[in-house]
Amino acid sequence: MTGDERCPSDRIELADLVCLTGGSAITGGSAITGGAAITGGAATRYADQAIPHERDLAIVKLLGKARRGGGLEQLVELVRPEVEAETLRAFGLRMASLAVRRTDPDLLRLGLRAVALASLRSMDRRDDLRVLAPLWRTASLLRLDPSHEFTAAAAELPDASAFLLGWVDRTPDLQDLGEMGFRESADEDGFRYAEDTTVIRRALEQEFARRPWIIRFLLARRRRRWLRENGWD
């Protein structure tokens, strides 16, 4: 295979993005799902589903297909900020948790790539930065060098290098898990990062108050949705 020739099965099509947008259930097992198909209620947000979940497996396959077919950059044009990018961020957080459970650095790296990709289409860089905190913490828990892991991811996705290396250059207090609105927790399946909604709400309200009135108006719907989803409204 030479030039820009690719195996047709490795080209990213809109149909491949079902795992990022929702849609019909995906079945099948893998190392991530422990060899069994996993299903979940459609009413539950993907971010809150049990780990692992069928969508986790589908996103792993999508990212692998993108890498084989010419690099993760080819996904950028197909990713919408409030749909696919949000799902990729959720996937990154979920992989940070699963990597700790499985003591698996490859799951950490998958999550890091997903968040880096999401950052290229994000409307609010703060959303992406927050998810880097659990990934950074996971690297430490796995006795890896977090700086090395983030630098390696930046080399693989150069367009996101400023985002990733900017995190590496932060002071430890600005990389702190609690400062970014997360805490180490557990559910019935094992280790899991949980959001500290008190910290998140305070940060949102402070940021909201600093915005010009027209921006506050445009963001009001998003703010109300977040408060409602987290039981504050």
Side-chain angles (χ1 to χ4, degrees):
M1 186 178 297
T2 60
D4 291 332
E5 295 178 1
R6 300 174 187 167
C7 174
S9 62
D10 285 339
R11 294 194 182 98
I12 300 299
E13 308 289 348
L14 287 175
D16 293 317
L17 300 187
V18 169
C19 61
L20 300 181
T21 60
S24 59
I26 303 163
T27 60
S30 75
I32 284 186
T33 63
I38 297 176
T39 59
T44 304
R45 291 192 312 156
Y46 165 59
D48 299 329
Q49 293 278 8
I51 303 173
H53 184 266
E54 57 192 13
R55 289 183 74 179
D56 297 327
L57 170 59
I59 294 170
V60 169
K61 289 182 177 179
L62 173 64
L63 295 176
K65 184 175 184 179
R67 294 183 77 197
R68 292 192 306 272
L72 295 174
E73 293 88 346
Q74 66 178 304
L75 278 174
V76 173
E77 294 183 359
L78 301 177
V79 170
R80 292 168 292 177
E82 293 189 350
V83 183
E84 292 85 4
E86 184 174 340
T87 302
L88 286 168
R89 278 195 300 273
F91 173 81
L93 177 60
R94 293 166 64 83
M95 291 302 101
S97 297
L98 189 59
V100 176
R101 292 186 194 177
R102 301 280 179 84
T103 318
D104 189 340
D106 287 338
L107 295 176
L108 162 68
R109 292 160 188 155
L110 278 170
L112 193 50
R113 291 185 199 114
V115 175
L117 179 60
S119 75
L120 299 178
R121 295 289 288 165
S122 177
M123 294 181 64
D124 190 339
R125 181 56 58 89
R126 182 184 54 191
D127 292 339
D128 305 304
L129 285 171
R130 288 187 59 246
V131 184
L132 291 183
L135 291 161
W136 185 265
R137 175 60 177 161
T138 289
S140 295
L141 292 175
L142 296 182
R143 299 184 179 180
L144 302 171
D145 179 353
S147 297
H148 173 77
E149 296 298 328
F150 276 57
T151 301
E156 182 174 355
L157 198 59
D159 288 347
S161 61
F163 167 67
L164 294 170
L165 298 180
W167 178 271
V168 173
D169 290 338
R170 284 187 160 208
T171 57
D173 60 308
L174 294 179
Q175 296 168 335
D176 181 71
L177 193 66
E179 183 67 23
M180 300 306 287
F182 289 98
R183 57 184 172 84
E184 295 178 22
S185 186
D187 60 18
E188 60 184 10
D189 297 313
F191 180 93
R192 185 165 189 166
Y193 291 106
E195 289 186 299
D196 186 336
T197 54
T198 301
V199 173
I200 299 170
R201 184 183 185 188
R202 183 172 65 247
L204 282 174
E205 290 178 342
Q206 291 172 348
E207 178 66 19
F208 192 77
R210 289 195 295 266
R211 298 290 181 94
W213 74 267
I214 186 62
I215 300 299
R216 293 201 302 270
F217 174 78
L218 294 173
L219 291 176
R221 178 182 298 180
R222 180 182 178 189
R223 179 174 180 267
R224 286 196 300 270
R225 183 182 67 183
W226 185 91
L227 292 173
R228 184 169 57 252
E229 289 176 349
N230 288 277
W232 293 98
D233 191 8

